[in-house]
Amino acid sequence: MTTASDLRSGKTHRDENFPVASWIIHPRHRALIMAFYNFVRTADDIADHATLPATEKLRYLDLLEAELLGNGDTQKEAVTLRRAFAERGLPPRHAVEMLVAFRMDVTKLRYENWDDVVDYCRYSAMPVGRFMLDVHGESTATWAASDALCAGLQINNHLQDCGKDYRNLNRVYLPRDALAVSGATVEMLAEAKSSPQLLACLQGLAVRTASLLDESRALAGDVKDFRLGLEISVIQAFADKIVNMLKVRDPLSERVHLSPVELLLQSLGGMAGETARRATGRRPLSKTAAGA
């Protein structure tokens, strides 16, 4: 019998736009975080599988959920995460919510407007941040800022991969109304270079994403756990750098991913800034408040 594991793409936590269970996070949390990541990565790879029929994708996603909730022991990622949750006394709700997004990836190929995309992020990205906060025992008062950061990261990824998503999966996360206002069409995503209309749409969405990321700027300072605060500051730095690239570059023809050197520099800058902020007791300023 083919298992969900057999359908993995080969992508690992080292291929993401953000650190996953990095050395910054306390070792006691890493096993649970990696179990969560492997479950989510497996489900994501199933939803994105190039040849698996939609009915089979949904069957595997349902199977993962069933075994995560205790009904069966054939899917190792589900069983491992279930046991990890049980050891920590945490509910599986965030992982279950993410499966909603992966089912949407199978059945929904177009999005009408910005709110429609953010609603997708409510299931595809926001549960990740909420999970991390729960693992560290943080207050739910931090969820709003976390939701903004996670949605920003997700939309950055949509913009970075817009051409590949269309060509490989006929999936378009760019809102239909934003395309229409710019005079762009989804078919333009198949080209090697963006038309002026498509580029205007993409860069306009990047500007809107930057405003969303501005709403998350206080998150690193709001969490109590110092290591988690450092990790969030690094992720925020990555997201800010990427969205600034997307504001001025064409993701169909130009690099809009961070190089190893850029990743290192953004990591060091993010950690240094958060360490200094905590040492001095300063509150992080939004770009608007800072006059940017």
Side-chain angles (χ1 to χ4, degrees), residues 184-221:
T185 65
V186 295
E187 290 76 18
M188 293 176 179
L189 291 166
E191 302 300 324
K193 182 178 180 179
S194 290
S195 67
Q197 296 90 340
L198 180 59
L199 190 60
C201 175
L202 292 169
Q203 294 182 349
L205 291 169
V207 169
R208 196 161 188 180
T209 305
S211 295
L212 187 61
L213 288 170
D214 206 27
E215 297 174 20
S216 66
R217 208 158 301 284
L219 179 61

Side-chain angles (χ1 to χ4, degrees), residues 18-215:
F18 50 87
V20 178
S22 77
W23 61 268
I24 301 172
I25 294 295
H26 196 286
R28 70 175 176 271
H29 300 310
R30 289 183 197 154
L32 173 56
I33 294 170
M34 285 307 303
F36 185 88
Y37 174 81
N38 282 321
F39 177 85
V40 170
R41 169 47 50 203
T42 301
D44 196 7
D45 286 346
I46 289 169
D48 289 351
H49 199 281
T51 60
L52 197 67
T55 53
E56 280 297 283
K57 292 180 179 183
L58 294 173
R59 184 179 72 82
Y60 275 107
L61 293 173
D62 288 346
L63 180 60
L64 285 171
E65 179 172 348
E67 298 208 0
L68 175 66
L69 298 178
N71 300 313
D73 296 293
T74 65
Q75 308 301 310
K76 70 176 183 179
E77 287 86 359
V79 174
T80 298
L81 182 56
R82 184 180 79 211
R83 291 172 178 168
F85 277 140
E87 288 175 4
R88 294 286 293 269
L90 291 172
R93 59 180 174 174
H94 302 308
V96 171
E97 286 186 339
M98 298 214 52
L99 292 173
V100 173
F102 299 133
R103 292 186 182 99
M104 290 173 69
D105 282 338
V106 177
T107 61
K108 185 171 182 173
L109 300 178
R110 302 290 186 270
Y111 290 80
E112 297 302 320
N113 51 47
W114 179 263
D115 288 343
D116 202 14
V117 174
V118 172
D119 182 64
Y120 170 78
C121 295
R122 165 65 185 86
Y123 297 99
S124 68
M126 295 179 193
V128 178
R130 295 180 180 190
F131 161 75
M132 288 294 292
L133 293 165
D134 280 359
V135 167
H136 288 82
E138 299 290 342
S139 168
T140 56
T142 59
W143 279 16
S146 173
D147 289 351
L149 176 57
C150 291
L153 286 164
Q154 179 71 88
I155 297 171
N156 271 354
N157 185 251
H158 290 335
L159 298 176
Q160 289 173 300
D161 295 342
C162 59
K164 181 176 68 174
D165 286 340
Y166 177 66
R167 291 190 298 269
N168 297 345
L169 299 164
N170 189 30
R171 192 184 296 156
V172 180
Y173 296 103
L174 309 182
R176 276 176 164 156
D177 64 351
L179 287 164
V181 166
S182 299
T185 65
V186 295
E187 290 76 18
M188 293 176 179
L189 291 166
E191 302 300 324
K193 182 178 180 179
S194 290
S195 67
Q197 296 90 340
L198 180 59
L199 190 60
C201 175
L202 292 169
Q203 294 182 349
L205 291 169
V207 169
R208 196 161 188 180
T209 305
S211 295
L212 187 61
L213 288 170
D214 206 27
E215 297 174 20

